Amino acid sequence: MTQVWLAVLSLVGVVLGGGLSYLVQTTVQRRNERSERRRLVAERGDKRREEQLDLLRQFIRVAQQAERAAEDRLKKKGPAWTAKALDVVDELWVCERMIHVLFAPSLHSLARAYVKALDHVVWQETDDGSLWDYLRGPKVAFLDAARDELSRPLDLKGS
């Protein structure tokens, strides 16, 4: 009888030890998976932020070229100016569409308003005041919103 009890106790010890080992391994594995997930989300966030900064830099550079083209319209209008202005305005619209893809709708609507204003001053005279007065409102609104957008943490749940 004693041997039976020893065998049963030994078996219970093995089962209990195996169960505890399984629980520890499962817990460690889950913790490692969560840590890896957080690392991947942070890495994706860093890449997205880098993409956004590159896009904003490109958009601002092209917007500056459009402002220059608008300023040069009266002085240098001709086939060369027209070709350059078309290229700049096309690139500006491409950047605007990429802002639609990479940023919130609120920033996209301000970028669109700024692009429309730039498109207007490149091809037409402003009604009242200088082209700088015409562009100031949409430009400042866009730049302020871009700064605010970049100061927010990224939400990558849907990405």
Side-chain angles (χ1 to χ4, degrees), residues 59-60 63 67 92 99 106-121 126 130-146:
F59 180 81
I60 291 168
E67 288 178 8
L92 196 58
I99 287 173
S106 58
L107 185 65
H108 172 250
S109 65
L110 292 171
R112 187 168 184 80
Y114 184 33
V115 170
K116 284 181 176 182
L118 285 165
D119 188 78
H120 178 80
V121 297
T126 57
S130 72
L131 74 104
W132 307 114
D133 292 335
Y134 188 82
L135 292 175
R136 183 176 294 119
K139 180 180 185 175
V140 170
F142 170 75
L143 292 174
D144 288 345

Side-chain angles (χ1 to χ4, degrees), residues 47-114:
K47 286 180 183 178
R48 173 65 58 91
R49 182 69 68 198
E50 190 176 311
E51 285 178 319
Q52 288 177 327
L53 284 171
D54 288 344
L55 176 58
L56 284 175
R57 194 174 294 119
Q58 180 183 2
F59 180 81
I60 291 168
R61 181 184 52 76
V62 175
Q64 178 61 39
Q65 291 173 355
E67 288 178 8
R68 176 74 52 174
E71 192 175 58
D72 291 345
R73 179 171 32 87
L74 296 177
K75 295 181 269 183
K76 300 180 179 180
K77 193 161 186 173
W81 176 88
T82 303
K84 182 179 176 187
L86 282 170
D87 289 343
V88 167
V89 170
D90 285 347
E91 190 172 349
L92 196 58
W93 283 109
V94 169
C95 288
E96 178 267 339
R97 285 173 180 87
M98 286 304 300
I99 287 173
H100 177 76
V101 171
L102 290 177
F103 286 95
S106 58
L107 185 65
H108 172 250
S109 65
L110 292 171
R112 187 168 184 80
Y114 184 33

